[in-house]
Amino acid sequence: MMQMLRILGKRGRITIPFEIRQRVGFKYNDVLSFIETADGRSVVVRREKICDNCKGAQPVVRNDEVTLFDFLNNLSPEQQRAALVHLSVKWAEKQGGELNG
């Protein structure tokens, strides 16, 4: 295991090194969960599969399920706007059109 260091930016952002993303299979638009360890000094990052009917996916049984509505309502107004813009762009790309403005 190779140690790689990154600096946490003033907005709390960090880039996961390309080599690690490639090895663990993280891709653009993946949903990641963060779980703090008991000692409070480490964080486990996992890729989550969020879908209702994914091909070949086994149903996930969880006690802490959150609806999409609840998830979006728990975002800040700025995060909600960013999600709306992102989803609008994705929808427009899927429709084969472009967003104007």
Side-chain angles (χ1 to χ4, degrees):
M1 173 192 276
M2 181 190 328
Q3 180 182 23
M4 296 182 188
L5 303 175
R6 294 294 184 266
I7 297 173
L8 183 65
K10 65 182 175 183
R11 291 188 174 181
R13 296 179 182 169
I14 193 161
T15 301
I16 300 172
F18 174 77
E19 297 85 2
I20 293 174
R21 292 191 323 259
Q22 192 173 33
R23 247 192 327 270
V24 297
F26 289 172
K27 295 184 180 94
Y28 177 74
N29 277 339
D30 277 350
V31 175
L32 305 178
S33 66
F34 300 85
I35 302 168
E36 184 178 357
T37 59
D39 66 6
R41 295 186 42 83
S42 300
V43 175
V44 175
V45 180
R46 292 189 177 136
R47 181 179 58 236
E48 299 291 340
K49 193 164 220 153
I50 299 180
C51 62
D52 292 325
N53 194 11
C54 296
K55 293 180 181 178
Q58 297 296 321
V60 177
V61 177
R62 300 178 91 163
N63 294 333
D64 61 345
E65 288 186 13
V66 175
T67 67
L68 179 58
F69 181 77
D70 290 338
F71 173 78
L72 292 172
N73 277 336
N74 286 321
L75 297 177
S76 70
E78 181 180 291
Q79 292 170 321
Q80 288 178 355
R81 274 192 296 283
L84 175 62
V85 168
H86 175 76
L87 292 172
S88 297
V89 168
K90 286 297 182 186
W91 181 82
E93 287 173 353
K94 205 169 196 180
Q95 300 302 313
E98 295 181 8
L99 288 178
N100 296 324

